[in-house]
Amino acid sequence: AQKVTQAQTEISVVEKEDVTLDCVYETRDTTYYLFWYKQPPSGELVFLIRRNSFDEQNEISGRYSWNFQKSTSSFNFTITASQVVDSAVYFCALSERNTGNQFYFGTGTSLTVIP
Amino acid sequence: DAGVIQSPRHEVTEMGQEVTLRCKPISGHNSLFWYRQTMMRGLELLIYFNNNVPIDDSGMPEDRFSAKMPNASFSTLKIQPSEPRDSAVYFCASSLEGVREETQYFGPGTRLLVL
């Protein structure tokens, strides 16, 4: 069974639009961590955020914000006023305390921001 | 601070040849991970080490693949003999296990093409 589901395979938005990338996870651990990574066209994987299961506060960093809801097992990522440089593949990942440092990655959402 | 370093960045080889990919983790990190990324299968964890010891190699595709970590600052992933289906981007990542961080930081990847 997929532990991390990113149902949106591809999204296209026009520059300056807001866009939300969905991430749904599955775990039985009470202690776990959720991550988002960005993979721009150049190919590297860039860490964006880490959240632990005990902290449901939403996080905002510039135009980026994350909404963590344990009740729906979701950790969604919103980009406000999107820019062309936001075009990338975004991966959500889960790490469970009981399985060591193993990451479970979603299949990624490819975001294209059209100028 | 230097991030995770991988070499070579690109490798083109012929089927049957031996390929060795190299990784230097972030200094002080005690966990190291090898991933493979393809369009068909996404990001797959191949193997991970903790304190230089292989912990889980269940993701290694077959006996043609082997990985070593002779010391805390160096790891290799070897494919012998290589096959065209091994063509992919291979990422190395490191993290600091044992504290609440556990974020994996990725290297730039090695793009392997087996002809």
Short mmCIF file of all heavy atoms in Angstrom, two decimals, chain B residues 18-72:
data_model
loop_
_atom_site.label_atom_id
_atom_site.label_comp_id
_atom_site.label_asym_id
_atom_site.label_seq_id
_atom_site.Cartn_x
_atom_site.Cartn_y
_atom_site.Cartn_z
N GLU B 18 31.46 -2.28 -15.75
CA GLU B 18 31.29 -1.98 -14.33
C GLU B 18 31.15 -0.48 -14.14
O GLU B 18 31.87 0.31 -14.76
CB GLU B 18 32.49 -2.49 -13.54
CG GLU B 18 32.42 -2.17 -12.05
CD GLU B 18 33.62 -2.70 -11.30
OE1 GLU B 18 33.79 -3.94 -11.26
OE2 GLU B 18 34.40 -1.89 -10.77
N VAL B 19 30.22 -0.10 -13.27
CA VAL B 19 30.00 1.31 -12.97
C VAL B 19 30.14 1.51 -11.47
O VAL B 19 29.58 0.73 -10.69
CB VAL B 19 28.58 1.75 -13.40
CG1 VAL B 19 28.32 3.18 -12.98
CG2 VAL B 19 28.42 1.60 -14.92
N THR B 20 30.87 2.53 -11.08
CA THR B 20 31.02 2.85 -9.66
C THR B 20 30.60 4.30 -9.42
O THR B 20 31.17 5.21 -10.01
CB THR B 20 32.45 2.64 -9.17
OG1 THR B 20 32.81 1.26 -9.35
CG2 THR B 20 32.56 2.98 -7.69
N LEU B 21 29.63 4.46 -8.56
CA LEU B 21 29.16 5.78 -8.18
C LEU B 21 29.67 6.09 -6.77
O LEU B 21 29.70 5.19 -5.92
CB LEU B 21 27.63 5.83 -8.19
CG LEU B 21 26.96 5.28 -9.46
CD1 LEU B 21 25.45 5.42 -9.36
CD2 LEU B 21 27.49 5.96 -10.70
N ARG B 22 30.02 7.34 -6.55
CA ARG B 22 30.65 7.71 -5.29
C ARG B 22 29.85 8.79 -4.56
O ARG B 22 29.20 9.63 -5.20
CB ARG B 22 32.08 8.18 -5.53
CG ARG B 22 32.97 7.10 -6.12
CD ARG B 22 34.34 7.62 -6.50
NE ARG B 22 35.19 6.55 -6.99
CZ ARG B 22 35.13 6.02 -8.20
NH1 ARG B 22 34.28 6.48 -9.10
NH2 ARG B 22 35.95 5.03 -8.55
N CYS B 23 29.95 8.75 -3.26
CA CYS B 23 29.22 9.72 -2.44
C CYS B 23 30.01 10.08 -1.21
O CYS B 23 30.56 9.21 -0.52
CB CYS B 23 27.87 9.13 -2.03
SG CYS B 23 26.92 10.20 -0.91
N LYS B 24 30.03 11.37 -0.93
CA LYS B 24 30.59 11.87 0.32
C LYS B 24 29.47 12.55 1.08
O LYS B 24 28.94 13.57 0.64
CB LYS B 24 31.72 12.86 0.04
CG LYS B 24 32.33 13.48 1.28
CD LYS B 24 33.47 14.40 0.89
CE LYS B 24 33.92 15.27 2.07
NZ LYS B 24 34.28 14.46 3.26
N PRO B 25 29.07 12.02 2.23
CA PRO B 25 27.95 12.62 2.97
C PRO B 25 28.39 13.92 3.66
O PRO B 25 29.58 14.25 3.71
CB PRO B 25 27.61 11.56 4.01
CG PRO B 25 28.89 10.83 4.23
CD PRO B 25 29.60 10.83 2.90
N ILE B 26 27.41 14.62 4.19
CA ILE B 26 27.70 15.81 4.97
C ILE B 26 28.47 15.40 6.23
O ILE B 26 28.10 14.42 6.89
CB ILE B 26 26.40 16.55 5.33
CG1 ILE B 26 25.75 17.11 4.04
CG2 ILE B 26 26.65 17.66 6.33
CD1 ILE B 26 24.37 17.70 4.25
N SER B 27 29.50 16.14 6.52
CA SER B 27 30.33 15.82 7.68
C SER B 27 29.50 15.79 8.95
O SER B 27 28.73 16.72 9.22
CB SER B 27 31.44 16.87 7.80
OG SER B 27 32.24 16.62 8.92
N GLY B 28 29.66 14.71 9.72
CA GLY B 28 28.92 14.59 10.97
C GLY B 28 27.63 13.80 10.84
O GLY B 28 27.07 13.35 11.86
N HIS B 29 27.15 13.63 9.62
CA HIS B 29 25.95 12.82 9.43
C HIS B 29 26.29 11.35 9.57
O HIS B 29 27.33 10.90 9.09
CB HIS B 29 25.34 13.10 8.06
CG HIS B 29 24.55 14.36 8.01
ND1 HIS B 29 23.73 14.69 6.93
CD2 HIS B 29 24.42 15.36 8.90
CE1 HIS B 29 23.15 15.85 7.18
NE2 HIS B 29 23.56 16.29 8.36
N ASN B 30 25.41 10.60 10.22
CA ASN B 30 25.72 9.19 10.46
C ASN B 30 24.82 8.22 9.69
O ASN B 30 24.92 7.01 9.86
CB ASN B 30 25.68 8.88 11.95
CG ASN B 30 24.36 9.27 12.59
OD1 ASN B 30 23.44 9.71 11.90
ND2 ASN B 30 24.27 9.10 13.90
N SER B 31 23.93 8.76 8.88
CA SER B 31 23.11 7.88 8.03
C SER B 31 23.29 8.28 6.58
O SER B 31 23.34 9.47 6.26
CB SER B 31 21.63 7.98 8.41
OG SER B 31 21.40 7.41 9.67
N LEU B 32 23.37 7.27 5.73
CA LEU B 32 23.57 7.53 4.30
C LEU B 32 22.62 6.65 3.49
O LEU B 32 22.42 5.48 3.83
CB LEU B 32 25.02 7.25 3.91
CG LEU B 32 25.39 7.55 2.44
CD1 LEU B 32 26.79 8.17 2.36
CD2 LEU B 32 25.28 6.33 1.57
N PHE B 33 22.07 7.23 2.46
CA PHE B 33 21.04 6.55 1.67
C PHE B 33 21.41 6.62 0.19
O PHE B 33 21.89 7.64 -0.29
CB PHE B 33 19.68 7.24 1.85
CG PHE B 33 19.27 7.41 3.28
CD1 PHE B 33 19.80 8.42 4.07
CD2 PHE B 33 18.33 6.55 3.84
CE1 PHE B 33 19.41 8.57 5.39
CE2 PHE B 33 17.94 6.70 5.15
CZ PHE B 33 18.48 7.71 5.93
N TRP B 34 21.12 5.54 -0.52
CA TRP B 34 21.22 5.53 -1.98
C TRP B 34 19.82 5.34 -2.56
O TRP B 34 19.08 4.41 -2.17
CB TRP B 34 22.12 4.41 -2.48
CG TRP B 34 23.59 4.66 -2.34
CD1 TRP B 34 24.43 4.19 -1.38
CD2 TRP B 34 24.40 5.45 -3.23
NE1 TRP B 34 25.71 4.64 -1.60
CE2 TRP B 34 25.72 5.40 -2.72
CE3 TRP B 34 24.14 6.18 -4.38
CZ2 TRP B 34 26.78 6.07 -3.35
CZ3 TRP B 34 25.19 6.84 -5.00
CH2 TRP B 34 26.49 6.78 -4.48
N TYR B 35 19.47 6.23 -3.50
CA TYR B 35 18.18 6.16 -4.18
C TYR B 35 18.41 6.07 -5.68
O TYR B 35 19.42 6.52 -6.21
CB TYR B 35 17.35 7.43 -3.94
CG TYR B 35 16.81 7.62 -2.55
CD1 TYR B 35 17.56 8.24 -1.56
CD2 TYR B 35 15.52 7.20 -2.24
CE1 TYR B 35 17.05 8.44 -0.29
CE2 TYR B 35 14.99 7.40 -0.96
CZ TYR B 35 15.76 8.02 0.00
OH TYR B 35 15.25 8.21 1.26
N ARG B 36 17.40 5.53 -6.35
CA ARG B 36 17.39 5.54 -7.81
C ARG B 36 16.09 6.20 -8.25
O ARG B 36 15.02 5.92 -7.68
CB ARG B 36 17.45 4.10 -8.34
CG ARG B 36 17.41 3.99 -9.84
CD ARG B 36 17.67 2.58 -10.31
NE ARG B 36 16.63 1.63 -9.92
CZ ARG B 36 16.64 0.35 -10.27
NH1 ARG B 36 17.64 -0.14 -11.01
NH2 ARG B 36 15.66 -0.45 -9.88
N GLN B 37 16.18 7.05 -9.24
CA GLN B 37 14.98 7.72 -9.75
C GLN B 37 14.83 7.45 -11.24
O GLN B 37 15.73 7.72 -12.04
CB GLN B 37 15.04 9.24 -9.51
CG GLN B 37 13.76 9.95 -9.91
CD GLN B 37 13.81 11.44 -9.65
OE1 GLN B 37 14.85 12.09 -9.76
NE2 GLN B 37 12.67 12.02 -9.26
N THR B 38 13.67 6.92 -11.60
CA THR B 38 13.32 6.71 -13.01
C THR B 38 11.92 7.24 -13.24
O THR B 38 11.15 7.43 -12.29
CB THR B 38 13.35 5.22 -13.39
OG1 THR B 38 12.40 4.53 -12.57
CG2 THR B 38 14.72 4.60 -13.19
N MET B 39 11.59 7.47 -14.48
CA MET B 39 10.25 7.95 -14.80
C MET B 39 9.21 6.92 -14.41
O MET B 39 8.14 7.25 -13.92
CB MET B 39 10.16 8.27 -16.30
CG MET B 39 10.91 9.50 -16.71
SD MET B 39 10.19 10.99 -15.99
CE MET B 39 8.62 11.03 -16.84
N MET B 40 9.53 5.67 -14.65
CA MET B 40 8.54 4.62 -14.43
C MET B 40 8.30 4.34 -12.94
O MET B 40 7.17 4.11 -12.53
CB MET B 40 9.01 3.32 -15.11
CG MET B 40 9.00 3.38 -16.62
SD MET B 40 7.32 3.60 -17.25
CE MET B 40 6.58 2.05 -16.78
N ARG B 41 9.34 4.36 -12.14
CA ARG B 41 9.24 3.91 -10.76
C ARG B 41 9.43 5.02 -9.73
O ARG B 41 9.30 4.76 -8.53
CB ARG B 41 10.24 2.79 -10.52
CG ARG B 41 10.04 1.58 -11.44
CD ARG B 41 11.17 0.58 -11.27
NE ARG B 41 11.09 -0.10 -9.99
CZ ARG B 41 10.44 -1.24 -9.76
NH1 ARG B 41 9.81 -1.84 -10.76
NH2 ARG B 41 10.42 -1.79 -8.56
N GLY B 42 9.72 6.22 -10.20
CA GLY B 42 9.90 7.32 -9.25
C GLY B 42 11.16 7.13 -8.43
O GLY B 42 12.13 6.56 -8.88
N LEU B 43 11.11 7.61 -7.19
CA LEU B 43 12.25 7.52 -6.28
C LEU B 43 12.19 6.22 -5.50
O LEU B 43 11.23 5.95 -4.79
CB LEU B 43 12.23 8.68 -5.29
CG LEU B 43 12.94 9.95 -5.70
CD1 LEU B 43 12.49 11.10 -4.82
CD2 LEU B 43 14.44 9.79 -5.63
N GLU B 44 13.22 5.42 -5.62
CA GLU B 44 13.28 4.14 -4.91
C GLU B 44 14.48 4.14 -3.98
O GLU B 44 15.59 4.47 -4.41
CB GLU B 44 13.47 2.99 -5.89
CG GLU B 44 12.44 2.83 -6.96
CD GLU B 44 12.87 1.73 -7.92
OE1 GLU B 44 13.63 2.02 -8.87
OE2 GLU B 44 12.46 0.56 -7.72
N LEU B 45 14.27 3.74 -2.74
CA LEU B 45 15.39 3.57 -1.83
C LEU B 45 16.07 2.25 -2.13
O LEU B 45 15.42 1.20 -2.14
CB LEU B 45 14.90 3.58 -0.38
CG LEU B 45 15.95 3.31 0.68
CD1 LEU B 45 16.99 4.44 0.72
CD2 LEU B 45 15.30 3.15 2.05
N LEU B 46 17.36 2.30 -2.37
CA LEU B 46 18.11 1.08 -2.68
C LEU B 46 18.69 0.46 -1.41
O LEU B 46 18.54 -0.73 -1.15
CB LEU B 46 19.24 1.38 -3.67
CG LEU B 46 18.81 1.95 -5.02
CD1 LEU B 46 20.04 2.27 -5.87
CD2 LEU B 46 17.89 0.98 -5.74
N ILE B 47 19.35 1.30 -0.62
CA ILE B 47 20.02 0.81 0.57
C ILE B 47 20.29 1.98 1.49
O ILE B 47 20.41 3.12 1.03
CB ILE B 47 21.36 0.12 0.21
CG1 ILE B 47 22.03 -0.53 1.43
CG2 ILE B 47 22.31 1.08 -0.49
CD1 ILE B 47 23.23 -1.40 1.08
N TYR B 48 20.34 1.72 2.79
CA TYR B 48 20.82 2.77 3.66
C TYR B 48 21.72 2.21 4.75
O TYR B 48 21.59 1.06 5.17
CB TYR B 48 19.70 3.66 4.20
CG TYR B 48 18.94 3.20 5.41
CD1 TYR B 48 19.35 3.58 6.68
CD2 TYR B 48 17.78 2.47 5.29
CE1 TYR B 48 18.62 3.21 7.81
CE2 TYR B 48 17.05 2.10 6.40
CZ TYR B 48 17.47 2.48 7.66
OH TYR B 48 16.75 2.13 8.75
N PHE B 49 22.64 3.06 5.16
CA PHE B 49 23.66 2.75 6.16
C PHE B 49 23.43 3.63 7.38
O PHE B 49 23.02 4.78 7.27
CB PHE B 49 25.07 3.06 5.63
CG PHE B 49 25.49 2.23 4.46
CD1 PHE B 49 25.14 2.60 3.17
CD2 PHE B 49 26.29 1.11 4.64
CE1 PHE B 49 25.55 1.84 2.08
CE2 PHE B 49 26.72 0.35 3.55
CZ PHE B 49 26.34 0.72 2.27
N ASN B 50 23.74 3.06 8.52
CA ASN B 50 23.80 3.85 9.74
C ASN B 50 25.13 3.55 10.42
O ASN B 50 25.43 2.36 10.66
CB ASN B 50 22.62 3.52 10.65
CG ASN B 50 22.61 4.40 11.89
OD1 ASN B 50 22.81 3.93 13.01
ND2 ASN B 50 22.39 5.67 11.70
N ASN B 51 25.89 4.58 10.70
CA ASN B 51 27.23 4.38 11.28
C ASN B 51 28.05 3.37 10.46
O ASN B 51 28.67 2.46 11.02
CB ASN B 51 27.13 3.96 12.75
CG ASN B 51 26.56 5.06 13.61
OD1 ASN B 51 26.86 6.24 13.41
ND2 ASN B 51 25.70 4.69 14.54
N ASN B 52 27.98 3.51 9.16
CA ASN B 52 28.75 2.73 8.19
C ASN B 52 28.26 1.29 8.01
O ASN B 52 28.83 0.53 7.24
CB ASN B 52 30.24 2.69 8.53
CG ASN B 52 30.81 4.05 8.85
OD1 ASN B 52 30.26 5.07 8.44
ND2 ASN B 52 31.90 4.08 9.58
N VAL B 53 27.22 0.92 8.71
CA VAL B 53 26.72 -0.45 8.64
C VAL B 53 25.45 -0.48 7.77
O VAL B 53 24.55 0.33 8.00
CB VAL B 53 26.40 -1.00 10.04
CG1 VAL B 53 25.79 -2.38 9.96
CG2 VAL B 53 27.65 -1.00 10.90
N PRO B 54 25.38 -1.39 6.80
CA PRO B 54 24.13 -1.46 6.02
C PRO B 54 22.98 -1.94 6.88
O PRO B 54 23.07 -2.98 7.54
CB PRO B 54 24.48 -2.48 4.91
CG PRO B 54 25.62 -3.27 5.45
CD PRO B 54 26.38 -2.37 6.37
N ILE B 55 21.90 -1.16 6.88
CA ILE B 55 20.75 -1.48 7.73
C ILE B 55 19.65 -2.17 6.93
O ILE B 55 19.03 -3.12 7.39
CB ILE B 55 20.19 -0.20 8.39
CG1 ILE B 55 21.27 0.49 9.22
CG2 ILE B 55 18.97 -0.52 9.23
CD1 ILE B 55 21.84 -0.35 10.34
N ASP B 56 19.42 -1.68 5.75
CA ASP B 56 18.34 -2.24 4.94
C ASP B 56 18.76 -2.16 3.48
O ASP B 56 18.91 -1.07 2.94
CB ASP B 56 17.05 -1.45 5.17
CG ASP B 56 15.86 -2.05 4.41
OD1 ASP B 56 16.06 -2.96 3.59
OD2 ASP B 56 14.73 -1.58 4.64
N ASP B 57 18.97 -3.31 2.87
CA ASP B 57 19.33 -3.35 1.46
C ASP B 57 18.25 -4.02 0.64
O ASP B 57 18.51 -4.51 -0.47
CB ASP B 57 20.68 -4.04 1.25
CG ASP B 57 20.64 -5.51 1.64
OD1 ASP B 57 19.59 -5.96 2.16
OD2 ASP B 57 21.64 -6.20 1.43
N SER B 58 17.06 -4.05 1.16
CA SER B 58 15.97 -4.75 0.47
C SER B 58 15.59 -4.10 -0.85
O SER B 58 14.96 -4.72 -1.70
CB SER B 58 14.74 -4.85 1.37
OG SER B 58 14.30 -3.56 1.75
N GLY B 59 16.00 -2.86 -1.02
CA GLY B 59 15.69 -2.18 -2.27
C GLY B 59 16.69 -2.41 -3.38
O GLY B 59 16.45 -2.00 -4.52
N MET B 60 17.78 -3.07 -3.06
CA MET B 60 18.79 -3.34 -4.09
C MET B 60 18.19 -4.32 -5.09
O MET B 60 17.75 -5.41 -4.73
CB MET B 60 20.05 -3.92 -3.45
CG MET B 60 20.73 -2.94 -2.51
SD MET B 60 21.59 -1.65 -3.40
CE MET B 60 23.24 -2.34 -3.39
N PRO B 61 18.21 -3.94 -6.37
CA PRO B 61 17.45 -4.71 -7.37
C PRO B 61 17.91 -6.16 -7.50
O PRO B 61 17.10 -7.06 -7.57
CB PRO B 61 17.68 -3.95 -8.66
CG PRO B 61 18.19 -2.62 -8.29
CD PRO B 61 18.84 -2.75 -6.95
N GLU B 62 19.16 -6.39 -7.53
CA GLU B 62 19.67 -7.75 -7.74
C GLU B 62 21.15 -7.78 -7.42
O GLU B 62 21.72 -6.77 -7.03
CB GLU B 62 19.41 -8.17 -9.20
CG GLU B 62 19.81 -7.14 -10.22
CD GLU B 62 19.14 -7.39 -11.57
OE1 GLU B 62 19.69 -8.17 -12.36
OE2 GLU B 62 18.08 -6.80 -11.82
N ASP B 63 21.72 -8.95 -7.57
CA ASP B 63 23.10 -9.14 -7.15
C ASP B 63 24.09 -8.30 -7.94
O ASP B 63 25.24 -8.16 -7.53
CB ASP B 63 23.49 -10.61 -7.26
CG ASP B 63 22.75 -11.47 -6.24
OD1 ASP B 63 22.18 -10.87 -5.30
OD2 ASP B 63 22.74 -12.70 -6.39
N ARG B 64 23.68 -7.77 -9.03
CA ARG B 64 24.60 -6.93 -9.81
C ARG B 64 24.90 -5.62 -9.08
O ARG B 64 25.86 -4.94 -9.40
CB ARG B 64 24.00 -6.63 -11.18
CG ARG B 64 23.77 -7.85 -12.06
CD ARG B 64 23.27 -7.45 -13.44
NE ARG B 64 21.98 -6.76 -13.39
CZ ARG B 64 21.82 -5.45 -13.58
NH1 ARG B 64 22.88 -4.67 -13.83
NH2 ARG B 64 20.61 -4.92 -13.54
N PHE B 65 24.07 -5.28 -8.11
CA PHE B 65 24.24 -4.05 -7.36
C PHE B 65 24.89 -4.35 -6.01
O PHE B 65 24.49 -5.29 -5.31
CB PHE B 65 22.89 -3.38 -7.10
CG PHE B 65 22.29 -2.70 -8.30
CD1 PHE B 65 21.82 -3.43 -9.38
CD2 PHE B 65 22.18 -1.32 -8.34
CE1 PHE B 65 21.27 -2.80 -10.48
CE2 PHE B 65 21.61 -0.68 -9.44
CZ PHE B 65 21.17 -1.42 -10.50
N SER B 66 25.86 -3.53 -5.65
CA SER B 66 26.46 -3.66 -4.33
C SER B 66 26.84 -2.28 -3.83
O SER B 66 27.12 -1.38 -4.62
CB SER B 66 27.71 -4.57 -4.37
OG SER B 66 28.70 -4.01 -5.22
N ALA B 67 26.81 -2.10 -2.53
CA ALA B 67 27.16 -0.82 -1.94
C ALA B 67 28.05 -1.05 -0.72
O ALA B 67 27.89 -2.04 -0.01
CB ALA B 67 25.91 -0.05 -1.53
N LYS B 68 28.96 -0.11 -0.55
CA LYS B 68 29.88 -0.19 0.59
C LYS B 68 29.99 1.18 1.23
O LYS B 68 29.80 2.21 0.58
CB LYS B 68 31.27 -0.66 0.14
CG LYS B 68 31.31 -2.08 -0.37
CD LYS B 68 32.73 -2.46 -0.75
CE LYS B 68 32.79 -3.91 -1.25
NZ LYS B 68 34.16 -4.30 -1.66
N MET B 69 30.34 1.15 2.50
CA MET B 69 30.64 2.40 3.20
C MET B 69 31.84 2.11 4.10
O MET B 69 31.68 1.76 5.27
CB MET B 69 29.45 2.89 3.99
CG MET B 69 29.62 4.30 4.48
SD MET B 69 28.07 5.04 5.00
CE MET B 69 28.63 6.71 5.35
N PRO B 70 33.03 2.22 3.57
CA PRO B 70 34.23 1.86 4.33
C PRO B 70 34.53 2.79 5.50
O PRO B 70 35.20 2.38 6.45
CB PRO B 70 35.34 1.90 3.28
CG PRO B 70 34.81 2.80 2.20
CD PRO B 70 33.33 2.63 2.19
N ASN B 71 34.03 4.03 5.41
CA ASN B 71 34.22 4.95 6.53
C ASN B 71 33.09 5.98 6.51
O ASN B 71 32.25 5.98 5.60
CB ASN B 71 35.60 5.63 6.45
CG ASN B 71 35.81 6.35 5.14
OD1 ASN B 71 35.08 7.29 4.81
ND2 ASN B 71 36.80 5.92 4.37
N ALA B 72 33.10 6.83 7.49
CA ALA B 72 31.98 7.76 7.67
C ALA B 72 31.88 8.83 6.59
O ALA B 72 30.89 9.53 6.51
CB ALA B 72 32.09 8.43 9.04
#
